[in-house]
Amino acid sequence: MSTMQDYQSSLDDPNSRKFETFSYLPEMDQARIRKQVEYIVAKGWNPAIEHSEPENAFDHYWYMWKLPLFGETNVDTILAEAEACHKAHPNNHVRLVGYDNYAQSKGAEMVVFRGKSV
């Protein structure tokens, strides 16, 4: 019998909040993030970068970093945009989104940089 791990999360502590499935796994390194971008590109989804202050991540819309990268298939370009957003907003969470035009919804969404609450 396995024991479930309790993930401490609190509304009072923005750094403890979970955002999606990947938040419950160990932090993704650059190689794993690259694999996710490759998956988004392989599915033909349009990548986009968004960011938000940690304290507003749950009750506000996230800011778009430029326009979505419509039709972009170069993984390095997508990763460079995520990195540029993180450098411009080092205290914000930065997430990568893959928009599925066919389903007209998000096919993927993951926080790739976690900001620090101030």
Side-chain angles (χ1 to χ4, degrees):
M1 182 169 161
S2 66
T3 42
M4 278 209 279
Q5 184 174 354
D6 183 24
Y7 291 95
Q8 297 299 315
S9 183
S10 168
L11 289 176
D12 296 333
D13 180 9
N15 286 320
S16 74
R17 297 178 190 160
K18 304 299 181 191
F19 295 99
E20 73 283 312
T21 303
F22 291 132
S23 291
Y24 291 91
L25 299 172
E27 189 172 331
M28 287 192 290
D29 60 14
Q30 290 302 311
R32 287 188 174 154
I33 293 171
R34 175 176 279 280
K35 286 280 189 195
Q36 294 302 317
V37 175
E38 290 169 353
Y39 179 78
I40 287 169
V41 168
K43 297 292 276 180
W45 296 338
N46 289 307
I49 310 297
E50 299 175 340
H51 64 97
S52 178
E53 299 87 356
E55 61 272 13
N56 295 332
F58 282 98
D59 56 358
H60 292 73
Y61 287 106
W62 288 47
Y63 310 109
M64 289 189 78
W65 172 255
K66 303 181 180 179
L67 291 174
L69 302 165
F70 296 111
E72 184 60 65
T73 59
N74 186 314
V75 173
D76 291 324
T77 299
I78 298 165
L79 290 170
E81 286 297 329
E83 182 71 33
C85 180
H86 176 60
K87 285 183 180 177
H89 305 282
N91 293 324
N92 287 7
H93 296 322
V94 176
R95 72 179 171 194
L96 171 66
V97 179
Y99 288 105
D100 181 345
N101 287 347
Y102 183 74
Q104 298 184 359
S105 65
K106 294 177 181 178
E109 178 179 81
M110 69 214 69
V111 174
V112 293
F113 295 101
R114 283 185 70 99
K116 302 277 188 262
S117 295
V118 276

